[in-house]
């Protein structure tokens, strides 16, 4: 059994295991990490022998820590990273390069239709009808997108939304409310098979699926970092928020909204969010525009998108894809019966 785990911001850890009778018989850990002293690797391998195949990652890491003791230097990885690589091997996880990837830069669409498309496209990946896909959205109108479990009245000032021509919709993933403006926001979705994140905790999967965009932003000169559980930040403030939804059909939706250039004053008129909270996210004044991507790169929005997509393509490959008329029709039907209804929007009043 073979499993790999690239530590976000760190090194690659590889686990090659021989399993007999639901127990790890032999283990070989390797990678481009740094480890001192030399015999520490043999201790790690020995600690993994005899591990039950269903042992949780935390307990696998504990076995490793128990044999290392003091005086061991692990650079670019950790016992927890080794445990993740082991769990990925034992669960048959796939890697980024095991899949053909498609890219769709979609046309502008209404907010409710965007919500429905996310659901339909993820289901298509789960059924094998569509390969894993990266989709960059374009918005047809201003919008606030609240998380699946958020209270509408607690999060949104509906009068303020109406005054600012902002459409309010609810998505299928959890997390917080997002304010978007066409041309000032970059939104993308990853539709991936569950096997890609197999062996990862829910929290770890966020960092794993966001690692490519952190690298892309770094290449653009932005000192972007991942902040658990679902934020991408920089010294200039929050850049993006991510959300996920796991589907019973074996697929994962991971979508991210990034601020290119946004009117914070308008956002405060629509979202019931205190100035203290906004300040925590890196905005010192409600009158200030939130523009980490524009101000830090000096690039047009289209150029930022092109550079990000090129970074993904360079890492994993991307073929041109499309959204069929049949897929759009299915999504439009779901808008009528679900995503565009008051019942869905107010399911948490």
């Amino acid at each position: 059994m073979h499993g790999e785990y690239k530590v976000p911001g760190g090194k690659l850890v590889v686990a090659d295991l021989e399993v007999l009778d639901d127990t790890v018989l032999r283990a070989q850990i390797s990678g481009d990490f740094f480890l001192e002293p030399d015999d520490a690797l043999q201790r790690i391998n020995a600690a993994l022998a005899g591990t039950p195949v269903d042992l949780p990652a935390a307990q696998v890491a504990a076995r490793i820590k128990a044999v290392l003791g003091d005086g061991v230097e692990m650079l670019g990885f950790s016992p927890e990273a080794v445990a993740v690589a082991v769990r990925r091997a034992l669960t048959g996880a796939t890697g980024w390069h095991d899949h053909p990837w498609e890219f769709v830069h979609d046309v502008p669409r209404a907010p409710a239709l965007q919500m429905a498309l996310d659901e339909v496209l993820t289901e298509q990946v789960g059924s094998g009808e569509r390969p894993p896909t990266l989709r960059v959205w374009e918005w047809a109108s201003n919008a606030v997108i609240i998380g699946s479990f958020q209270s509408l009245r607690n999060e949104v000032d509906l009068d303020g939304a109406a005054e600012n021509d902002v459409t309010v919709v609810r998505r299928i993933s959890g997390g917080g409310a997002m304010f978007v403006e066409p041309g000032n926001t970059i939104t993308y979705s990853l539709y991936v098979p569950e096997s890609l994140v197999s062996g990862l905790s829910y929290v770890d999967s966020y960092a794993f699926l966001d690692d490519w965009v952190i690298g892309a932003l770094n290449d653009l000169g932005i000192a972007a970092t991942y902040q658990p559980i679902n934020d991408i930040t920089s010294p200039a403030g929050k850049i993006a928020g991510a959300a996920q939804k796991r589907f019973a059909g074996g697929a994962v939706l991971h979508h991210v909204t990034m601020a290119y250039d946004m009117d914070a004053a308008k956002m405060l008129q629509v979202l019931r969010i205190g100035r203290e909270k906004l300040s925590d996210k890196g905005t010192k004044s409600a009158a200030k525009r939130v523009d980490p991507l524009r101000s830090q790169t000096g690039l047009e929005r289209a150029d930022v998108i092109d550079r990000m997509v090129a970074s993904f393509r360079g890492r994993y490959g991307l073929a041109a894809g499309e959204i069929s008329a049949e897929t759009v029709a299915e999504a439009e039907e779901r808008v009528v019966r679900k995503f565009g209804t008051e019942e869905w929007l107010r399911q948490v009043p």
Side-chain angles (χ1 to χ4, degrees), residues 222 232-240 279-283 290 292 296:
I222 298 177
I232 298 172
T233 65
S234 77
K238 179 177 175 178
I239 295 174
S279 177
D280 288 344
K281 297 298 184 181
T283 303
V290 180
Q296 293 187 66

Side-chain angles (χ1 to χ4, degrees), residues 83-333:
V84 169
V86 168
R87 291 303 310 159
R88 285 178 62 76
L90 293 172
T91 57
T94 57
W96 292 91
H97 293 97
D98 294 325
H99 303 282
W101 291 89
E102 281 193 356
F103 171 62
V104 176
H105 193 163
D106 204 11
V107 299
R109 300 189 189 275
L113 184 56
Q114 295 282 29
M115 304 301 106
L117 275 171
D118 257 359
E119 184 173 78
V120 173
L121 293 171
T122 310
E123 290 176 356
Q124 289 178 349
V125 170
S127 68
E129 180 181 347
R130 168 182 294 275
T133 300
L134 167 65
R135 177 172 77 105
V136 173
W137 304 21
E138 295 293 346
W139 295 91
S141 66
N142 299 332
V144 163
I145 307 95
I146 61 174
S148 179
F149 309 109
Q150 288 190 295
S151 164
L152 176 63
R153 63 169 171 257
N154 289 344
E155 298 296 329
V156 182
D157 183 329
L158 292 176
D159 291 336
E163 291 171 5
N164 287 279
D165 194 25
V166 173
T167 301
V168 183
V169 293
R170 183 183 296 274
R171 64 179 183 266
I172 57 175
S173 61
M178 304 299 296
F179 174 76
V180 302
E181 299 172 295
N184 289 334
T185 306
I186 298 173
T187 303
Y188 69 85
S189 292
L190 282 171
Y191 312 104
V192 307
E194 190 279 334
S195 62
L196 186 64
V197 296
S198 181
L200 296 172
S201 70
Y202 192 76
V203 172
D204 287 342
S205 70
Y206 273 87
F208 180 77
L209 293 175
D210 283 338
D211 188 57
W212 74 273
V213 79
I214 296 292
L217 293 172
N218 291 163
D219 290 343
L220 287 171
I222 298 177
T225 57
Y226 167 75
Q227 180 175 316
I229 176 177
N230 65 331
D231 284 350
I232 298 172
T233 65
S234 77
K238 179 177 175 178
I239 295 174
Q244 270 187 31
K245 175 69 176 180
R246 306 294 177 95
F247 283 58
V252 178
L253 164 64
H254 182 88
H255 44 198
V256 174
T257 293
M258 312 179 77
Y260 173 75
D261 185 2
M262 196 175 298
D263 189 334
K266 183 185 294 184
M267 180 169 63
L268 280 176
Q269 294 172 30
V270 177
L271 295 181
R272 298 187 186 280
I273 174 175
R275 292 193 179 197
E276 181 178 353
K277 182 176 180 181
L278 188 62
S279 177
D280 288 344
K281 297 298 184 181
T283 303
K284 303 304 182 184
S285 168
K288 179 182 176 182
R289 297 189 69 84
V290 180
D291 65 345
L293 291 180
R294 183 180 65 84
S295 62
Q296 293 187 66
T297 66
L299 296 173
E300 296 295 322
R301 176 179 176 275
D303 294 330
V304 174
I305 293 172
D306 287 346
R307 297 275 291 272
M308 287 171 51
V309 173
S311 181
F312 189 103
R313 182 180 292 111
R315 284 192 179 204
Y316 310 124
L318 272 179
E322 62 178 8
I323 298 176
S324 68
E326 292 78 12
T327 296
V328 174
E330 169 63 20
E332 289 174 336
E333 192 276 332

Side-chain angles (χ1 to χ4, degrees), residues 10-144:
K11 298 298 184 176
L12 177 68
V13 182
V14 180
D16 289 294
L17 311 176
E18 294 182 34
V19 174
L20 179 66
D21 296 331
D22 295 328
T23 301
V24 176
L25 189 63
R26 280 182 290 274
Q28 177 62 66
I29 301 301
S30 60
D32 60 354
F33 48 76
F34 299 93
L35 178 63
E36 294 289 347
D38 291 342
D39 72 343
L41 185 60
Q42 284 68 45
R43 281 185 268 164
I44 292 173
N45 292 334
L48 294 172
T51 299
V53 297
D54 59 353
L55 194 68
Q59 295 183 38
V60 175
R63 290 172 71 108
I64 296 169
K65 293 176 182 177
V67 301
L68 291 181
D70 298 329
V72 173
E73 292 288 337
M74 305 179 75
L75 301 178
F77 79 127
S78 64
E80 289 76 14
V82 175
V84 169
V86 168
R87 291 303 310 159
R88 285 178 62 76
L90 293 172
T91 57
T94 57
W96 292 91
H97 293 97
D98 294 325
H99 303 282
W101 291 89
E102 281 193 356
F103 171 62
V104 176
H105 193 163
D106 204 11
V107 299
R109 300 189 189 275
L113 184 56
Q114 295 282 29
M115 304 301 106
L117 275 171
D118 257 359
E119 184 173 78
V120 173
L121 293 171
T122 310
E123 290 176 356
Q124 289 178 349
V125 170
S127 68
E129 180 181 347
R130 168 182 294 275
T133 300
L134 167 65
R135 177 172 77 105
V136 173
W137 304 21
E138 295 293 346
W139 295 91
S141 66
N142 299 332
V144 163

